[in-house]
Amino acid sequence: MNGEHKITSRHRARTALVYLRQSTLMQVREHTESTLRQYALADTAIAMGWAPRDVEVIDRDLGLSGTSAAHRAGFRELMSRVCLGEIGAVLGLEISRLARSNADLARLAEMARLTGTLLIDSDGVYDLADFNDWLVLGLKSTMSQAELHIMAGRLQAAKRAAAERGELRAPLPVGLVYDDDGMVVLDPDAEVQAAVADIFACFAAAGSAYGVVAAFAGRKFPQRAYGGVWAGQLRWAPLTHHRVLQVLKNPAYAGAYVHGRHVTRKTVDADGNVRTVTAEVPRAQWAVVIKDHHPGYLTWEEYLAIEARLAANHTGGGGRPAREGTALCQGIIICGGCGGPMAANYHGDDRASYECHSHRDGKKTPGCRSITAHVVDDAVAAVLLTALTPEQLALALAAADEVAGQHQRASRAAELAVERARYEADRAERAFGQVEPENRLVARTLEARWEAKLAALADADQALQAAQNALPPLPDRASLAKLAADLPALWHAPTTTARDRKRLLRTLIADVTLLPEPDRGKARIGIRWHTGAADQIVIDRPGPTGIPAPTPTPATQLIRELGPVTSNPELVTLLAQHGYRTGAGRPFDIKAVQWVRHAYQIPTPSPCNSGEISVADAARRLGCSPGVVYYWIENGQLAARRSPGGRLCIPWTPATEADCQARIATSGHLNPAARRTRPRQRH
Ligand SMILES: [Zn+2]
């Protein structure tokens, strides 16, 4: 070997280390030749004069990637022993590839130089203390790095080009397989096909991945193994939420060929170890998307709909799925003032209101308001029920047919399992029949297998029976039609839950908007249907919550009649004399009377004596703002007295009015400070 003369007795007195490396388990399995050659290096060391007991092999790094030394215990051991100076030579098939990173190799070379350790590969012996050897090793290392780079680059480019043609073969999800010509086709196994199709059908019905898991309870889902001893085999396992998401998000089921759905990134964790993590890439950034590349289980549009549905279910991202609670428009009502979502808030007794919470973000607009939930709900429900025309009922019936189909599919899966078990039992029977009777050992094994298959068949039969029995009977189409025609009754039926109503509402209505309406006694509601159509309704809005009862009671009748000429304390006395009580069953107090006045807009009697007027009246007469009048009163420019109720009464004569008019005229365009003065709290 080249440079064998560099090996001295000093080297031979120390240990010769054979370092073995093979990047991946795949390489270890497939490239046995290379592994054998690496082990043969131990013989090379002995041939070079090392005693067999002084030759050690480090093979702990077989099957580990060489890109970084972090996880390679073998390489770390090698380094530490070289540092200790107990190693005479390190042998590797190709020294420059001992470590795939230049930094690792440079460290090894530096240590080897300091401790007088030789590095030996199939090309020769390197003494790092020799400048030429050091240079050659450095060059080899740089070359191998460059080679790797170019190779990786070519591979990537070739891969990318193949992917752009849709020809780069990637492992297919269960339910799709490559045929003999390399084309992607649906898995010919009808049981697998049915299971995959059912995931999509269940999602359409349940609307969530958890719903799919629930629908699959007790039923297994196929999974195709890649690599390892189980490669290509189909295994059946319980369906998990994670698997459902994988299936729902995989565009291959929509017949699309996609490259670049995932990206791997390197991160450094707290301990300084480099880790590779795989992340999902948003759909808009996928490198290659070829639609209609192969037959699928759903259309691209359906795939997008599932994607949108999943995003909507994801509450962390702002989605608002239907919840318990009676507020019908919860989750789909929008504030027309600021465009933000309105929250459904419950105030005991299941009384709810929709409230715009934009003030929390400082985005409140004058159009933002809150509204009692039932006001909106009743109006929207009425629109919904009247809008359900015969054509739409036909659609609902089609949906019912879909449910029936789903029932059929559930038992179809069990039927297919029976068919498979029967086929395997038949095959075991044939194998048993073909064996020669004299070959008792084989016959016994085959008989046992046949019996096992027969037992499996019996199990499958039983499962089918159970599946068929478990299905609740479906109402026939005629009664469904009757049910659909009687939708209002169904809607109001006590058995229909708030959640059911919400679901029904959401199947037809995309969102509801509380539009700005200048008249506070009315509410304007926009309804956007999923069809794209939009409706607008204006409804009467009852007074603020807390009003005893919307219908006039004897008590409110009394307040309405006497209110304009009777003060609040007098009204309280009168109401008590009649024995009237509020809606909540309490005796009337001043506050309760004030509520009724507010609700029915009953004016309070004027506190002013004859010859006196209120501030508002004075302002009206003078054509100025009440603030101006308050300003004059505060500054003593205008005489006024306070009534027992605290209201200001201004003695008014033609002379007073003339004075005021003159003051306005002489102050030019009025004192701006006067305009800004705000009125005091009035009662
Ligand atoms: Zn708002």
Side-chain angles (χ1 to χ4, degrees), residues 329-345:
C329 298
Q330 165 266 325
I332 55 168
I333 185 162
I334 296 168
C335 170
C338 63
M342 296 182 85
N345 285 355

Side-chain angles (χ1 to χ4, degrees), residues 37-52:
R37 271 181 70 209
Q38 295 199 44
Y39 277 111
L41 285 170
D43 296 333
T44 311
I46 294 166
M48 285 174 170
W50 269 276

Side-chain angles (χ1 to χ4, degrees), residues 334-342 355-359 363-365 367-369 514:
I334 296 168
C335 170
C338 63
M342 296 182 85
E355 287 163 24
C356 173
H357 280 175
S358 54
H359 59 88
K363 290 181 193 149
K364 192 170 170 67
T365 70
C368 286
R369 60 200 45 168
L514 183 65

